[in-house]
Amino acid sequence: MESKLVLYNTLTRRKEVFEPLTPGRVGMYVCGPTVYGDPHLGHARPAVTFDLMFRYLKSCGYKVRYVRNITDVGHLEHDADEGEDKIAKKARLEQLEPMEVAHYYTERYHRAMDALNVETPSIEPYASGHIIEQIEFVKKILADGFAYESNGSVYFDVEKYNAKYNYGRLSGRNLDDIIANTRELDGQGDKRHSYDFALWKKASPEHIMRWPSPWGEGFPGWHMECSAMSTRYLGERFDIHGGGMDLMFPHHECEIAQSTAALGHDSARYWVHNNMITINGQKMGKSLGNFITLEELFTGSHKLLAQAYSPMTIRFFVLQAQYRSTLDFSNEALQAAEKGLDRLMKGVESLGKVKPAETSTVDPAELENRCRAAMDDDLNSPMAISALFDWVRIINQLVDGQQSITAADLEELKATVYRYTFDILGLRDEKAAGAASGRDYVTPLVEMLLDERLKARAAKDWAASDRIRDGLAAAIGDRRPGRAARSRYPCQRPQGRQRLGTGISGKREDPDPGRNCRRRARTVGAGAPAGVPLWRDGLVQYAGRVPAPVPEVPVCRNQGIVG
């Protein structure tokens, strides 16, 4: 298959024409999240970036195997070889099992990705599910002499590896410089040198997550999982390895060293890194404590946010910048993305109003050529969006009769616009999708707002509580003073409530609303959409004074059942 796609290869520091190892097939591995907290805006960028790559490769006709891992063991604090496992620490603080923490935050991550319209990868392996493969990989490295055992742990011998290969090729670091800038301290542990890194760590007595190995009970080093799982599912050689720029060193550098030591050659041909999302010029991340979770963005509940932003606004915000450029957070930038997305969706909607004519004064092929050229140039999504915006103006001219287009050209134009807007950029018309499916997009967002307000009040953060209240009142209309809050409406009980908190997606409603109902109903917001049910801790609320028509069922009155 002839390809014109050009990708920037971090390993060679230049743009290269993408040529897969196997014609027509692509193997792609991307580092996924360490699941010990809620997904934040920083997680959105690599997720959207490599979702864009996944979508575009498929649109070009490739059969893609996309592997994105879940790190649920071995990632120690500060990305180091010493300290507490991030997930184990969270489990200790919350008095839970580590796998309970990992499962809960993995589910939260998946819901956030669904909201962002990120497609699920072909395979999503867990580090804890591939301990055997990681142990076997460590054995290979030991057998080839590039690692050493020390007091039940196994460390990679960077100096010995560098004598044969080149440690630092990806990040551009020189081992001599690393040594010069590293202090060798007495009692530094079991390593021969401070720049050596762990392949397998001996578990201390208090360490919960541990597995038997030839070297004693322990757990794999953080870098080992990616070498083992990428080889397991993509083979010893594959096409693309992706991740955030912050992973380039030490994680990806160590991964290259491990794989080369074990296999005798490089594994990935193209190393692709997205740049970071910054806040006030500093990387946004959990370890720095300056992050904004995706749920907070969707609800507007963070103190830095002027309002709530929809999932598609966040996706559009990410796509407006080329993935290798820095993207700085600000309310102004998000609001501009919101307006831009609305303009694009209105343009797409206006396509349905265009009347075909006998002749065309426009050429739809021009849009296809521009978008294709932009995407082939290292996934330059902002240039593709710019081309779509130019054609939104042309679409408006077609609607107004200033331009004309034949029926055949109109179908071609629609196909091109839909393909790039929805299939490749992965955007979604949230208003149209909600109306067409009958799905309520308002309720889950209001639920999350109310939940965040309860948390703020419990923490005595009155400013945040008032800000959420005022935002909710502005969005759905405030209740007039003096009006009764109690009303008689059919109760609807959602199913599948989560024990550890509300999810990002909405909850299902009971198909039998009157069954076993012993709860009171009240209304919030006289100006709200009619009949929108809000579940909040055993209380069924309705946004709006007059509910939507419902079937004849028993209703609540003074906590009693009436027919």
Side-chain angles (χ1 to χ4, degrees):
M1 177 183 296
E2 184 179 352
S3 174
K4 295 181 181 178
L5 173 62
V6 172
L7 293 174
Y8 183 84
N9 190 347
T10 311
L11 191 62
T12 60
R13 288 168 181 73
R14 65 174 182 266
K15 287 183 178 181
E16 299 178 356
V17 174
F18 175 69
E19 296 178 351
L21 287 165
T22 304
R25 294 176 177 270
V26 177
M28 182 169 79
Y29 185 94
V30 175
C31 291
T34 300
V35 284
Y36 69 102
D38 276 332
H40 55 72
L41 184 57
H43 290 123
R45 190 160 201 195
V48 171
T49 293
F50 293 102
D51 182 60
L52 176 68
M53 180 180 289
F54 185 35
R55 288 170 177 270
Y56 188 61
L57 287 169
K58 289 191 298 180
S59 77
C60 292
Y62 290 110
K63 183 176 177 62
V64 185
R65 177 175 289 180
Y66 174 21
V67 182
R68 185 186 68 202
N69 71 303
I70 295 290
T71 298
D72 58 353
V73 64
H75 195 168
L76 306 187
E77 293 181 287
H78 313 300
D79 301 342
D81 286 335
E82 304 296 335
E84 195 169 5
D85 185 290
K86 293 183 178 184
I87 294 172
K89 180 180 180 179
K90 186 77 170 181
R92 177 176 57 79
L93 293 174
E94 298 191 6
Q95 297 183 339
L96 297 169
E97 283 290 329
M99 286 299 104
E100 192 173 9
V101 170
H103 175 74
Y104 173 64
Y105 286 112
T106 300
E107 290 298 302
R108 301 274 285 179
Y109 177 79
H110 287 157
R111 290 191 181 93
M113 296 304 102
D114 288 343
L116 291 171
N117 204 27
V118 170
E119 293 188 336
T120 57
S122 313
I123 303 172
E124 192 171 56
Y126 289 67
S128 63
H130 295 76
I131 300 298
I132 294 174
E133 288 88 344
Q134 295 181 70
I135 290 174
E136 291 302 313
F137 221 89
V138 175
K139 287 181 180 179
K140 288 182 182 179
I141 298 173
L142 272 170
D144 290 338
F146 292 109
Y148 56 91
E149 182 184 354
S150 177
N151 192 28
S153 295
V154 180
Y155 293 97
F156 191 86
D157 193 331
V158 172
E159 196 169 283
K160 190 168 184 179
Y161 170 84
N162 189 66
K164 182 174 182 180
Y165 301 102
N166 179 12
Y167 183 78
R169 288 185 298 142
L170 182 70
S171 61
R173 302 190 182 207
N174 182 287
L175 183 58
D176 293 334
D177 294 335
I178 295 174
I179 294 172
N181 290 290
T182 302
R183 296 176 61 194
E184 298 285 357
L185 302 176
D186 293 335
Q188 64 181 359
D190 301 320
K191 299 180 184 181
R192 292 176 183 170
H193 304 287
S194 59
Y195 42 82
D196 293 344
F197 57 90
L199 303 177
W200 183 267
K201 282 285 291 181
K202 178 183 178 181
S204 58
E206 68 275 6
H207 200 94
I208 302 173
M209 305 172 77
R210 59 176 67 212
W211 289 266
S213 79
W215 316 285
E217 286 196 341
F219 55 93
W222 172 37
H223 316 302
M224 180 50 62
E225 64 178 278
C226 292
S227 291
M229 293 191 293
S230 62
T231 303
R232 168 69 178 79
Y233 294 107
L234 297 175
E236 291 189 2
R237 298 181 190 270
F238 57 94
D239 298 299
I240 300 170
H241 195 309
M245 191 173 289
D246 55 322
L247 297 178
M248 192 186 307
F249 189 90
H251 183 52
H252 287 165
E253 194 72 75
C254 294
E255 188 182 337
I256 288 176
Q258 291 171 164
S259 297
T260 304
L263 306 174
H265 55 75
D266 288 345
S267 53
R269 295 183 67 197
Y270 303 87
W271 284 82
V272 181
H273 292 88
N274 65 273
N275 212 323
M276 298 176 290
I277 290 183
T278 58
I279 180 166
N280 296 324
Q282 187 180 36
K283 172 201 166 186
M284 181 179 289
K286 290 177 191 168
S287 58
L288 298 174
N290 64 348
F291 62 94
I292 302 174
T293 70
L294 291 172
E295 185 168 322
E296 288 171 332
L297 282 159
F298 299 159
T299 61
S301 55
H302 193 280
K303 61 183 179 181
L304 293 178
L305 297 173
Q307 65 180 73
Y309 300 97
S310 75
M312 284 303 98
T313 297
I314 303 304
R315 185 177 180 103
F316 193 71
F317 169 67
V318 173
L319 291 170
Q320 278 188 313
Q322 208 274 344
Y323 74 89
R324 287 192 293 116
S325 64
T326 303
L327 184 59
D328 197 52
F329 160 83
S330 71
N331 279 286
E332 293 76 16
L334 287 170
Q335 288 163 1
E338 185 176 55
K339 291 177 181 177
L341 177 63
D342 183 62
R343 178 187 166 202
L344 180 57
M345 289 301 120
K346 285 179 178 176
V348 173
E349 182 182 359
S350 295
L351 268 174
K353 303 174 185 177
V354 176
K355 304 295 183 184
E358 294 296 323
T359 59
S360 290
T361 59
V362 296
D363 182 9
E366 190 262 351
L367 176 61
E368 167 66 33
N369 293 336
R370 287 181 62 186
C371 288
R372 184 61 180 259
M375 294 302 297
D376 278 346
D377 183 15
D378 199 21
L379 305 178
N380 199 331
S381 55
M383 291 303 295
I385 291 171
S386 175
L388 287 168
F389 276 146
D390 287 345
W391 273 82
V392 166
R393 176 176 51 81
I394 294 173
I395 290 168
N396 291 333
Q397 292 173 350
L398 290 168
V399 172
D400 294 339
Q402 300 175 33
Q403 300 263 26
S404 63
I405 190 170
T406 63
D409 284 349
L410 179 58
E411 289 307 309
E412 181 184 345
L413 177 59
K414 287 181 179 179
T416 302
V417 170
Y418 296 159
R419 177 168 173 254
Y420 282 96
T421 302
F422 302 125
D423 298 340
I424 294 176
L425 294 177
L427 298 171
R428 181 174 56 207
D429 190 338
E430 291 165 314
K431 296 177 183 177
S437 64
R439 180 178 175 183
D440 172 25
Y441 285 99
V442 176
T443 299
L445 292 176
V446 177
E447 284 184 333
M448 285 188 283
L449 277 169
L450 292 173
D451 190 59
E452 291 297 322
R453 185 166 186 252
L454 288 175
K455 292 178 183 177
R457 289 175 65 83
K460 300 188 184 300
D461 188 351
W462 310 118
S465 173
D466 291 346
R467 185 167 60 251
I468 296 171
R469 179 201 62 203
D470 295 342
L472 185 60
I476 67 174
D478 209 353
R479 188 173 62 210
R480 286 180 289 170
R483 300 290 293 182
R486 185 176 301 171
S487 184
R488 292 176 290 175
Y489 299 121
C491 289
Q492 293 180 305
R493 183 178 60 194
Q495 297 175 340
R497 299 187 67 200
Q498 291 182 321
R499 181 172 66 81
L500 292 176
T502 57
I504 290 176
S505 59
K507 302 180 179 67
R508 296 177 293 172
E509 297 176 358
D510 196 320
D512 180 7
R515 180 180 60 190
N516 299 325
C517 185
R518 296 289 194 280
R519 296 182 174 88
R520 300 166 67 183
R522 65 184 178 93
T523 59
V524 293
V532 178
L534 307 178
W535 179 270
R536 185 52 72 240
D537 296 331
L539 182 70
V540 178
Q541 305 174 349
Y542 278 80
R545 193 160 298 283
V546 181
V550 293
E552 290 293 331
V553 292
V555 297
C556 295
R557 179 181 295 153
N558 297 328
Q559 302 188 55
I561 300 297
V562 297

